Structures are given as structure tokens and as C-alpha cells.
Amino acid sequence: MADSSTSRSRQSDSVRDSVDTGSHGERKRLLERTVPGIAASIRKAGFWSAIFLPICYTPMLLYGLSTGIHTLLFLFLLGLNLVALYVGHEYRR
């Protein structure tokens, strides 16, 4: 029994190492290389923006997307939320 749990631990360590060095790790390093001083702040802002931006959708959806301006604003907020999700998904990992 002890051998199987040890082998599982080694396997999970190797999987974790491969994830850290893959393309996922390259994206993380790209932000740190580009703006090293504020990378953590950018990730934090992206994370919290991704959480709170959907609150802005509620009044728009209740009011309706009947005009072109409302529809464009909704699509802009949706795109902004997707960018915030992408940037902030590495926060506190």
C-alpha cells in the first residue's frame, strides 16, 4: 500500500512539473518578462474584474438590448470579461 501511494505522489509531481513548464507556464513568464514590476497587480486586477464585471450585465439584460448601443455595450463588456478571465486566471497559483 505504501508503495502505491508513493508512486501516485511521484506521478502527480511529474504532472505538475510538466504543466509548469508547458505553454501555460510560457504565458505566465511572458507577462513577467514584459512588465515585471506590475505583473502581479495586472493578474489581481484581471481576476477581480472577471468576478465583478458580470454584475454589469444584469441591468443591461433586465432593460433589454433593443438598441444598437446597448447591444454593442453588452458585447464590449463580454469581451472585456473574457480578457479579464484570461489575464487573471493565474492569480494566486
Coordinates of all heavy atoms in Angstrom, one line a residue:
M1 N 0.8 -1.2 0.0 CA 0.0 0.0 0.0 C 0.8 1.3 0.0 O 0.5 2.2 -0.7 CB -0.9 0.0 1.2 CG -2.0 -1.0 1.2 SD -3.3 -0.2 0.2 CE -4.5 -1.4 0.4
A2 N 1.9 1.3 0.8 CA 2.7 2.5 0.9 C 3.4 2.7 -0.5 O 3.6 3.9 -0.9 CB 3.8 2.3 2.0
D3 N 3.8 1.7 -1.2 CA 4.4 1.8 -2.5 C 3.5 2.5 -3.5 O 3.9 3.3 -4.3 CB 4.9 0.5 -3.0 CG 6.1 -0.1 -2.2 OD1 6.8 0.7 -1.5 OD2 6.2 -1.3 -2.2
S4 N 2.2 2.1 -3.5 CA 1.3 2.7 -4.5 C 1.0 4.2 -4.2 O 0.9 5.0 -5.1 CB 0.0 1.9 -4.5 OG -0.7 2.1 -3.2
S5 N 1.0 4.6 -2.9 CA 0.7 6.0 -2.6 C 2.0 6.8 -3.0 O 1.9 8.0 -3.4 CB 0.3 6.2 -1.2 OG 1.4 5.8 -0.3
T6 N 3.2 6.2 -2.8 CA 4.4 6.9 -3.1 C 4.5 7.1 -4.6 O 4.9 8.2 -5.1 CB 5.6 6.1 -2.6 OG1 5.5 5.9 -1.2 CG2 6.9 6.9 -2.9
S7 N 4.1 6.1 -5.4 CA 4.2 6.2 -6.9 C 3.2 7.2 -7.4 O 3.4 8.0 -8.3 CB 4.0 4.8 -7.5 OG 2.7 4.4 -7.3
R8 N 2.0 7.3 -6.7 CA 1.0 8.3 -7.1 C 1.5 9.7 -6.8 O 1.3 10.6 -7.6 CB -0.3 8.1 -6.3 CG -1.1 6.9 -6.8 CD -2.5 6.9 -6.1 NE -3.1 5.6 -6.3 CZ -3.8 4.9 -5.4 NH1 -3.9 5.4 -4.2 NH2 -4.3 3.8 -5.7
S9 N 2.2 9.8 -5.7 CA 2.8 11.2 -5.4 C 3.8 11.6 -6.4 O 3.9 12.7 -6.8 CB 3.4 11.1 -4.0 OG 4.0 12.3 -3.7
R10 N 4.6 10.6 -6.8 CA 5.7 10.9 -7.8 C 5.0 11.3 -9.1 O 5.5 12.2 -9.8 CB 6.6 9.7 -8.0 CG 7.6 9.5 -6.8 CD 8.5 8.4 -7.1 NE 9.1 8.0 -5.8 CZ 9.5 6.8 -5.5 NH1 9.3 5.8 -6.4 NH2 10.1 6.5 -4.4
Q11 N 4.0 10.5 -9.5 CA 3.3 10.8 -10.8 C 2.7 12.2 -10.7 O 2.7 12.9 -11.7 CB 2.2 9.8 -11.0 CG 2.8 8.4 -11.4 CD 1.7 7.4 -11.5 OE1 0.5 7.6 -11.1 NE2 2.0 6.2 -12.1
S12 N 2.0 12.6 -9.6 CA 1.4 13.9 -9.6 C 2.4 15.0 -9.6 O 2.2 16.0 -10.1 CB 0.5 14.0 -8.3 OG 1.3 14.0 -7.1
D13 N 3.6 14.7 -9.0 CA 4.7 15.7 -9.0 C 5.2 15.9 -10.4 O 5.5 17.0 -10.9 CB 5.9 15.3 -8.1 CG 5.5 15.5 -6.6 OD1 4.6 16.2 -6.3 OD2 6.3 14.8 -5.8
S14 N 5.3 14.8 -11.2 CA 5.8 14.9 -12.6 C 4.8 15.6 -13.5 O 5.1 16.4 -14.3 CB 6.2 13.5 -13.1 OG 5.0 12.7 -13.2
V15 N 3.5 15.4 -13.2 CA 2.5 16.0 -14.0 C 2.5 17.5 -13.7 O 2.4 18.4 -14.6 CB 1.1 15.4 -13.7 CG1 0.0 16.3 -14.2 CG2 1.0 14.0 -14.2
R16 N 2.6 17.9 -12.4 CA 2.7 19.3 -12.0 C 3.9 20.0 -12.6 O 3.8 21.1 -13.1 CB 2.8 19.4 -10.5 CG 2.2 20.6 -9.9 CD 2.2 20.7 -8.4 NE 1.5 19.5 -7.8 CZ 2.0 18.7 -6.9 NH1 3.2 19.0 -6.4 NH2 1.3 17.7 -6.4
D17 N 5.0 19.3 -12.7 CA 6.2 19.9 -13.3 C 6.0 20.1 -14.8 O 6.4 21.1 -15.3 CB 7.4 19.0 -13.1 CG 7.9 19.0 -11.6 OD1 7.5 19.9 -10.9 OD2 8.6 18.0 -11.2
S18 N 5.4 19.1 -15.5 CA 5.2 19.3 -16.9 C 4.2 20.4 -17.2 O 4.3 21.1 -18.2 CB 4.7 18.0 -17.5 OG 3.4 17.6 -17.1
V19 N 3.2 20.6 -16.3 CA 2.2 21.7 -16.5 C 3.0 23.0 -16.4 O 2.7 24.0 -17.1 CB 1.0 21.6 -15.6 CG1 0.2 22.8 -15.6 CG2 0.2 20.4 -16.0
D20 N 3.8 23.1 -15.4 CA 4.5 24.4 -15.1 C 5.5 24.8 -16.2 O 5.7 25.9 -16.5 CB 5.3 24.3 -13.8 CG 4.4 24.3 -12.6 OD1 3.3 24.7 -12.7 OD2 4.9 23.9 -11.5
T21 N 6.0 23.8 -16.9 CA 7.0 24.1 -18.0 C 6.3 24.1 -19.4 O 7.0 24.4 -20.3 CB 8.1 23.1 -18.0 OG1 7.6 21.8 -18.2 CG2 8.9 23.1 -16.7
G22 N 5.0 23.9 -19.5 CA 4.4 23.8 -20.8 C 4.0 25.2 -21.2 O 4.5 26.2 -20.8
S23 N 3.1 25.3 -22.2 CA 2.7 26.6 -22.8 C 2.0 27.4 -21.7 O 2.1 28.6 -21.8 CB 1.8 26.3 -23.9 OG 0.6 25.7 -23.5
H24 N 1.4 26.8 -20.8 CA 0.7 27.5 -19.7 C 1.8 28.4 -18.9 O 1.5 29.5 -18.6 CB 0.0 26.5 -18.8 CG -0.9 27.1 -17.8 ND1 -2.0 27.8 -18.2 CD2 -0.9 27.1 -16.4 CE1 -2.7 28.2 -17.1 NE2 -2.0 27.8 -16.0
G25 N 2.9 27.8 -18.6 CA 4.0 28.5 -17.9 C 4.6 29.5 -18.8 O 5.1 30.6 -18.3
E26 N 4.6 29.3 -20.1 CA 5.2 30.3 -21.0 C 4.3 31.6 -21.0 O 4.9 32.7 -21.0 CB 5.2 29.8 -22.5 CG 6.3 28.7 -22.7 CD 7.6 29.3 -22.6 OE1 7.9 30.4 -23.0 OE2 8.5 28.6 -22.0
R27 N 3.0 31.5 -20.9 CA 2.1 32.7 -20.9 C 2.4 33.4 -19.6 O 2.5 34.7 -19.6 CB 0.7 32.3 -20.9 CG 0.2 31.9 -22.3 CD -1.3 31.8 -22.3 NE -1.8 30.9 -21.2 CZ -2.4 29.8 -21.5 NH1 -2.6 29.4 -22.7 NH2 -2.9 29.0 -20.5
K28 N 2.6 32.7 -18.5 CA 2.9 33.3 -17.2 C 4.2 34.1 -17.3 O 4.3 35.2 -16.8 CB 2.9 32.3 -16.1 CG 3.0 32.9 -14.7 CD 2.9 31.8 -13.7 CE 3.0 32.4 -12.3 NZ 2.9 31.4 -11.3
R29 N 5.2 33.5 -17.8 CA 6.5 34.1 -17.9 C 6.5 35.3 -18.9 O 7.2 36.3 -18.7 CB 7.6 33.1 -18.3 CG 8.0 32.2 -17.2 CD 9.0 31.3 -17.6 NE 8.3 30.3 -18.4 CZ 8.6 29.0 -18.4 NH1 9.7 28.6 -17.7 NH2 8.0 28.1 -19.1
L30 N 5.7 35.2 -19.9 CA 5.6 36.3 -20.9 C 5.1 37.6 -20.2 O 5.7 38.7 -20.4 CB 4.6 36.0 -22.0 CG 4.4 37.1 -23.0 CD1 5.7 37.3 -23.8 CD2 3.3 36.7 -24.0
L31 N 4.1 37.6 -19.3 CA 3.7 38.7 -18.6 C 4.8 39.2 -17.6 O 5.0 40.4 -17.5 CB 2.4 38.4 -17.8 CG 1.7 39.6 -17.2 CD1 1.4 40.7 -18.2 CD2 0.5 39.2 -16.4
E32 N 5.5 38.3 -17.0 CA 6.5 38.7 -16.0 C 7.7 39.3 -16.8 O 8.4 40.2 -16.3 CB 7.0 37.5 -15.2 CG 6.2 37.3 -13.9 CD 4.8 36.7 -14.2 OE1 4.6 36.1 -15.2 OE2 4.0 36.8 -13.3
R33 N 8.0 38.8 -18.0 CA 9.1 39.4 -18.8 C 8.7 40.8 -19.3 O 9.5 41.7 -19.4 CB 9.4 38.5 -20.0 CG 10.3 37.4 -19.6 CD 10.9 36.7 -20.9 NE 9.8 36.4 -21.8 CZ 9.4 35.2 -22.2 NH1 10.1 34.2 -21.8 NH2 8.5 35.0 -23.0
T34 N 7.4 40.9 -19.7 CA 7.0 42.2 -20.4 C 6.9 43.3 -19.4 O 7.4 44.4 -19.6 CB 5.6 42.0 -21.1 OG1 5.7 40.8 -21.9 CG2 5.2 43.2 -21.8
V35 N 6.2 43.1 -18.3 CA 6.0 44.1 -17.2 C 6.3 43.5 -15.9 O 5.4 43.2 -15.1 CB 4.6 44.7 -17.3 CG1 4.5 45.7 -18.4 CG2 3.6 43.6 -17.4
P36 N 7.6 43.3 -15.5 CA 7.9 42.5 -14.3 C 7.4 43.2 -13.0 O 7.1 42.5 -12.1 CB 9.4 42.4 -14.3 CG 9.9 43.5 -15.3 CD 8.8 43.7 -16.2
G37 N 7.4 44.5 -13.0 CA 7.1 45.2 -11.8 C 5.6 45.2 -11.4 O 5.2 45.3 -10.3
I38 N 4.8 45.1 -12.4 CA 3.3 45.2 -12.2 C 2.6 44.0 -12.6 O 1.3 44.0 -12.7 CB 2.7 46.5 -12.8 CG1 3.0 46.5 -14.3 CG2 3.3 47.7 -12.2 CD1 2.2 47.6 -15.1
A39 N 3.3 42.9 -12.9 CA 2.6 41.7 -13.4 C 1.6 41.1 -12.4 O 0.5 40.7 -12.7 CB 3.6 40.6 -13.8
A40 N 2.0 41.1 -11.1 CA 1.1 40.6 -10.1 C -0.1 41.5 -9.9 O -1.2 41.0 -9.7 CB 1.9 40.5 -8.7
S41 N 0.0 42.8 -10.1 CA -1.1 43.7 -10.0 C -2.0 43.5 -11.1 O -3.3 43.6 -11.0 CB -0.6 45.2 -9.9 OG 0.2 45.4 -8.8
I42 N -1.5 43.3 -12.3 CA -2.3 43.1 -13.5 C -3.1 41.8 -13.4 O -4.3 41.8 -13.7 CB -1.5 43.0 -14.8 CG1 -0.9 44.4 -15.1 CG2 -2.3 42.5 -16.0 CD1 0.1 44.4 -16.2
R43 N -2.5 40.7 -12.9 CA -3.2 39.5 -12.6 C -4.3 39.7 -11.6 O -5.4 39.1 -11.8 CB -2.3 38.4 -12.2 CG -1.4 37.9 -13.3 CD -0.7 36.7 -12.9 NE 0.4 36.4 -13.8 CZ 0.2 36.0 -15.1 NH1 -1.0 35.8 -15.5 NH2 1.3 35.8 -15.9
K44 N -4.0 40.4 -10.5 CA -5.0 40.6 -9.5 C -6.2 41.4 -10.0 O -7.4 41.1 -9.8 CB -4.4 41.4 -8.3 CG -5.3 41.6 -7.1 CD -4.5 42.3 -6.0 CE -5.4 42.5 -4.8 NZ -4.6 43.2 -3.7
A45 N -5.9 42.5 -10.8 CA -7.0 43.3 -11.4 C -7.8 42.5 -12.4 O -9.0 42.6 -12.4 CB -6.4 44.5 -12.1
G46 N -7.2 41.6 -13.2 CA -7.9 40.8 -14.1 C -8.8 39.8 -13.4 O -9.9 39.5 -13.8
F47 N -8.3 39.2 -12.3 CA -9.1 38.2 -11.5 C -10.3 38.9 -11.0 O -11.4 38.4 -11.2 CB -8.2 37.6 -10.4 CG -8.9 36.7 -9.5 CD1 -9.1 35.4 -9.9 CD2 -9.4 37.1 -8.3 CE1 -9.8 34.5 -9.0 CE2 -10.0 36.3 -7.4 CZ -10.3 35.0 -7.8
W48 N -10.2 40.0 -10.3 CA -11.3 40.6 -9.6 C -12.2 41.3 -10.6 O -13.5 41.3 -10.4 CB -10.8 41.6 -8.6 CG -10.3 40.9 -7.4 CD1 -9.0 40.8 -7.0 CD2 -11.0 40.1 -6.5 NE1 -8.9 40.0 -5.9 CE2 -10.1 39.5 -5.5 CE3 -12.4 39.8 -6.3 CZ2 -10.5 38.7 -4.5 CZ3 -12.8 38.9 -5.3 CH2 -11.8 38.4 -4.4
S49 N -11.7 41.7 -11.7 CA -12.6 42.3 -12.8 C -13.5 41.2 -13.4 O -14.6 41.4 -13.7 CB -11.8 42.9 -13.9 OG -11.1 44.0 -13.4
A50 N -12.9 40.0 -13.6 CA -13.6 38.8 -14.1 C -14.7 38.4 -13.2 O -15.8 37.9 -13.6 CB -12.7 37.7 -14.4
I51 N -14.5 38.7 -11.9 CA -15.6 38.3 -10.9 C -16.7 39.4 -10.9 O -17.9 39.0 -10.9 CB -15.0 38.2 -9.5 CG1 -14.2 36.9 -9.5 CG2 -16.1 38.1 -8.4 CD1 -13.4 36.6 -8.2
F52 N -16.3 40.6 -11.0 CA -17.3 41.7 -10.8 C -18.0 42.2 -12.1 O -19.0 42.8 -12.0 CB -16.8 42.8 -10.0 CG -16.6 42.5 -8.5 CD1 -15.3 42.4 -8.0 CD2 -17.7 42.2 -7.7 CE1 -15.1 42.1 -6.6 CE2 -17.5 41.8 -6.4 CZ -16.3 41.8 -5.8
L53 N -17.4 42.0 -13.2 CA -18.0 42.5 -14.5 C -19.3 41.9 -14.8 O -20.2 42.6 -15.3 CB -17.0 42.3 -15.6 CG -16.0 43.4 -15.9 CD1 -15.0 42.9 -17.0 CD2 -16.7 44.6 -16.3
P54 N -19.6 40.6 -14.5 CA -20.9 40.1 -14.8 C -22.1 40.9 -14.0 O -23.2 40.8 -14.4 CB -20.9 38.7 -14.3 CG -19.4 38.3 -14.5 CD -18.7 39.6 -14.1
I55 N -21.7 41.6 -12.9 CA -22.8 42.4 -12.2 C -23.3 43.5 -13.2 O -24.5 43.8 -13.1 CB -22.2 43.0 -10.9 CG1 -21.8 41.8 -10.0 CG2 -23.1 44.0 -10.3 CD1 -21.1 42.3 -8.7
C56 N -22.5 44.0 -14.1 CA -22.9 45.0 -15.0 C -23.8 44.4 -16.1 O -24.6 45.2 -16.7 CB -21.7 45.6 -15.7 SG -20.5 46.4 -14.6
Y57 N -23.8 43.1 -16.3 CA -24.7 42.6 -17.3 C -26.2 42.6 -16.8 O -27.1 42.7 -17.6 CB -24.4 41.1 -17.5 CG -23.0 40.8 -18.0 CD1 -22.5 39.5 -17.9 CD2 -22.2 41.7 -18.6 CE1 -21.3 39.1 -18.4 CE2 -20.9 41.4 -19.1 CZ -20.5 40.1 -19.0 OH -19.2 39.8 -19.4
T58 N -26.4 42.4 -15.5 CA -27.7 42.3 -15.0 C -28.7 43.5 -15.4 O -29.7 43.2 -16.0 CB -27.7 42.1 -13.5 OG1 -26.8 41.0 -13.2 CG2 -29.1 41.8 -12.9
P59 N -28.3 44.7 -15.1 CA -29.2 45.8 -15.5 C -29.4 45.9 -17.0 O -30.5 46.2 -17.5 CB -28.6 47.1 -15.0 CG -27.4 46.7 -14.2 CD -27.2 45.2 -14.4
M60 N -28.4 45.6 -17.8 CA -28.5 45.7 -19.2 C -29.4 44.6 -19.7 O -30.2 44.9 -20.6 CB -27.1 45.5 -19.9 CG -26.2 46.6 -19.6 SD -24.6 46.4 -20.5 CE -25.2 46.7 -22.1
L61 N -29.3 43.4 -19.2 CA -30.2 42.3 -19.6 C -31.7 42.6 -19.2 O -32.6 42.2 -19.9 CB -29.7 41.0 -19.2 CG -28.4 40.6 -19.8 CD1 -27.9 39.3 -19.2 CD2 -28.6 40.4 -21.3
L62 N -31.8 43.2 -18.0 CA -33.2 43.5 -17.5 C -33.8 44.6 -18.3 O -35.0 44.5 -18.6 CB -33.2 43.9 -16.0 CG -32.9 42.8 -15.0 CD1 -32.7 43.3 -13.6 CD2 -33.9 41.7 -15.1
Y63 N -33.1 45.6 -18.7 CA -33.6 46.7 -19.5 C -33.8 46.2 -21.0 O -34.7 46.7 -21.6 CB -32.6 47.8 -19.5 CG -33.0 49.0 -20.2 CD1 -34.1 49.8 -19.8 CD2 -32.4 49.4 -21.4 CE1 -34.5 50.9 -20.5 CE2 -32.8 50.5 -22.1 CZ -33.8 51.3 -21.7 OH -34.3 52.4 -22.4
G64 N -32.9 45.4 -21.4 CA -33.1 44.9 -22.8 C -32.0 45.4 -23.7 O -31.4 46.4 -23.4
L65 N -31.8 44.7 -24.8 CA -30.7 45.0 -25.7 C -31.4 45.5 -27.0 O -31.1 45.0 -28.1 CB -29.8 43.8 -26.0 CG -29.1 43.3 -24.7 CD1 -28.2 42.1 -25.1 CD2 -28.2 44.4 -24.1
S66 N -32.4 46.3 -26.9 CA -33.2 46.7 -28.0 C -32.5 47.7 -29.0 O -32.8 47.7 -30.2 CB -34.5 47.3 -27.5 OG -34.2 48.4 -26.7
T67 N -31.6 48.5 -28.5 CA -30.9 49.4 -29.4 C -29.5 48.9 -29.7 O -28.9 48.0 -29.0 CB -30.8 50.8 -28.7 OG1 -30.0 50.7 -27.6 CG2 -32.1 51.4 -28.3
G68 N -28.9 49.4 -30.8 CA -27.6 49.0 -31.2 C -26.5 49.4 -30.2 O -25.6 48.7 -30.0
I69 N -26.7 50.5 -29.5 CA -25.8 51.0 -28.5 C -25.7 50.0 -27.3 O -24.6 49.6 -26.8 CB -26.1 52.4 -28.0 CG1 -25.9 53.4 -29.1 CG2 -25.3 52.8 -26.8 CD1 -24.4 53.7 -29.4
H70 N -26.9 49.6 -26.9 CA -27.0 48.6 -25.8 C -26.3 47.3 -26.1 O -25.6 46.7 -25.3 CB -28.4 48.4 -25.3 CG -29.0 49.6 -24.6 ND1 -30.1 50.2 -25.0 CD2 -28.5 50.4 -23.6 CE1 -30.4 51.2 -24.2 NE2 -29.4 51.4 -23.3
T71 N -26.6 46.9 -27.3 CA -26.0 45.6 -27.8 C -24.5 45.7 -27.9 O -23.8 44.8 -27.5 CB -26.6 45.2 -29.2 OG1 -28.0 45.2 -29.0 CG2 -26.1 43.9 -29.6
L72 N -24.0 46.8 -28.5 CA -22.5 47.0 -28.6 C -21.9 47.1 -27.2 O -20.8 46.5 -27.0 CB -22.2 48.2 -29.4 CG -22.4 48.1 -30.9 CD1 -22.1 49.4 -31.6 CD2 -21.5 47.0 -31.4
L73 N -22.5 47.8 -26.3 CA -22.0 47.9 -24.9 C -22.0 46.5 -24.2 O -21.0 46.2 -23.6 CB -22.8 48.9 -24.1 CG -22.4 49.1 -22.7 CD1 -21.0 49.7 -22.7 CD2 -23.4 50.1 -22.0
F74 N -23.0 45.7 -24.4 CA -23.0 44.4 -23.8 C -21.9 43.5 -24.4 O -21.2 42.8 -23.7 CB -24.4 43.7 -24.1 CG -24.5 42.3 -23.6 CD1 -24.6 42.1 -22.2 CD2 -24.4 41.3 -24.5 CE1 -24.6 40.8 -21.8 CE2 -24.4 40.0 -24.0 CZ -24.6 39.7 -22.7
L75 N -21.7 43.6 -25.7 CA -20.7 42.8 -26.4 C -19.3 43.3 -25.9 O -18.4 42.5 -25.7 CB -20.8 42.9 -27.9 CG -22.0 42.1 -28.5 CD1 -22.1 42.4 -30.0 CD2 -22.0 40.7 -28.1
F76 N -19.1 44.6 -25.8 CA -17.9 45.1 -25.3 C -17.6 44.6 -23.8 O -16.5 44.2 -23.5 CB -17.9 46.7 -25.3 CG -16.7 47.3 -24.6 CD1 -15.5 47.3 -25.3 CD2 -16.8 47.8 -23.3 CE1 -14.3 47.8 -24.7 CE2 -15.7 48.4 -22.7 CZ -14.4 48.4 -23.4
L77 N -18.6 44.6 -23.0 CA -18.4 44.1 -21.6 C -18.1 42.6 -21.6 O -17.3 42.2 -20.8 CB -19.7 44.4 -20.8 CG -19.8 45.8 -20.3 CD1 -21.2 46.0 -19.6 CD2 -18.7 46.2 -19.3
L78 N -18.8 41.9 -22.5 CA -18.5 40.5 -22.6 C -17.0 40.2 -23.0 O -16.4 39.4 -22.5 CB -19.5 39.8 -23.6 CG -19.5 38.3 -23.7 CD1 -19.8 37.7 -22.3 CD2 -20.4 37.9 -24.8
G79 N -16.6 41.0 -24.0 CA -15.2 40.8 -24.5 C -14.2 41.2 -23.4 O -13.2 40.6 -23.2
L80 N -14.5 42.3 -22.7 CA -13.7 42.7 -21.6 C -13.6 41.7 -20.5 O -12.5 41.4 -19.9 CB -14.2 44.0 -21.0 CG -13.3 44.8 -20.0 CD1 -12.0 45.2 -20.7 CD2 -14.1 46.0 -19.5
N81 N -14.7 41.0 -20.2 CA -14.8 40.0 -19.2 C -13.9 38.8 -19.7 O -13.2 38.2 -18.9 CB -16.2 39.5 -19.0 CG -16.3 38.7 -17.7 OD1 -15.4 38.6 -16.9 ND2 -17.5 38.3 -17.4
L82 N -13.9 38.4 -20.9 CA -13.1 37.3 -21.4 C -11.6 37.6 -21.3 O -10.8 36.8 -20.9 CB -13.5 37.0 -22.9 CG -14.8 36.4 -23.1 CD1 -15.1 36.2 -24.6 CD2 -14.9 35.0 -22.4
V83 N -11.3 38.9 -21.6 CA -9.9 39.3 -21.4 C -9.5 39.2 -20.0 O -8.4 38.8 -19.6 CB -9.6 40.7 -22.0 CG1 -8.3 41.3 -21.7 CG2 -9.8 40.7 -23.5
A84 N -10.3 39.7 -19.1 CA -10.0 39.7 -17.7 C -9.9 38.2 -17.2 O -9.0 37.9 -16.3 CB -11.1 40.4 -16.9
L85 N -10.7 37.3 -17.7 CA -10.6 35.9 -17.3 C -9.3 35.4 -17.8 O -8.6 34.6 -17.0 CB -11.7 35.1 -17.9 CG -13.1 35.2 -17.3 CD1 -14.1 34.5 -18.2 CD2 -13.0 34.5 -15.9
Y86 N -8.8 35.7 -18.9 CA -7.6 35.2 -19.5 C -6.4 35.7 -18.7 O -5.5 35.0 -18.3 CB -7.5 35.6 -21.0 CG -6.2 35.1 -21.6 CD1 -6.0 33.7 -21.9 CD2 -5.1 36.0 -21.9 CE1 -4.9 33.3 -22.5 CE2 -4.0 35.5 -22.4 CZ -3.9 34.2 -22.8 OH -2.7 33.7 -23.3
V87 N -6.4 37.0 -18.4 CA -5.3 37.6 -17.7 C -5.3 37.2 -16.2 O -4.2 36.9 -15.6 CB -5.4 39.1 -17.8 CG1 -4.4 39.8 -16.8 CG2 -5.1 39.6 -19.2
G88 N -6.4 37.1 -15.6 CA -6.5 36.8 -14.2 C -6.6 35.3 -13.7 O -6.6 35.0 -12.6
H89 N -6.6 34.4 -14.7 CA -6.7 33.0 -14.3 C -5.5 32.5 -13.6 O -5.6 31.4 -12.9 CB -7.1 32.1 -15.5 CG -5.9 31.8 -16.4 ND1 -5.4 32.6 -17.3 CD2 -5.2 30.6 -16.5 CE1 -4.4 32.1 -17.9 NE2 -4.3 30.9 -17.4
E90 N -4.4 33.1 -13.6 CA -3.2 32.6 -12.9 C -3.0 33.3 -11.6 O -2.0 33.0 -10.9 CB -1.9 33.0 -13.8 CG -1.8 32.2 -15.0 CD -1.1 30.9 -14.8 OE1 -0.3 30.8 -13.8 OE2 -1.4 29.9 -15.5
Y91 N -3.9 34.1 -11.2 CA -3.8 34.8 -9.9 C -3.8 33.8 -8.7 O -4.6 33.0 -8.6 CB -5.0 35.8 -9.7 CG -5.0 36.6 -8.4 CD1 -3.9 37.4 -8.1 CD2 -6.0 36.5 -7.5 CE1 -3.9 38.2 -7.0 CE2 -6.0 37.2 -6.4 CZ -5.0 38.0 -6.1 OH -5.0 38.8 -4.9
R92 N -2.8 34.0 -7.9 CA -2.6 33.1 -6.7 C -2.4 31.7 -7.0 O -2.9 30.8 -6.2 CB -3.7 33.3 -5.7 CG -3.7 34.7 -5.1 CD -4.1 34.6 -3.7 NE -4.0 36.0 -3.1 CZ -4.5 36.3 -1.9 NH1 -5.2 35.4 -1.3 NH2 -4.4 37.5 -1.5
R93 N -1.7 31.3 -8.0 CA -1.4 29.9 -8.3 C 0.0 29.6 -7.9 O 0.9 30.3 -8.0 CB -1.6 29.6 -9.8 CG -3.0 29.2 -10.1 CD -3.1 28.6 -11.4 NE -4.5 28.2 -11.6 CZ -4.8 27.5 -12.7 NH1 -4.0 27.2 -13.6 NH2 -6.0 27.2 -12.8

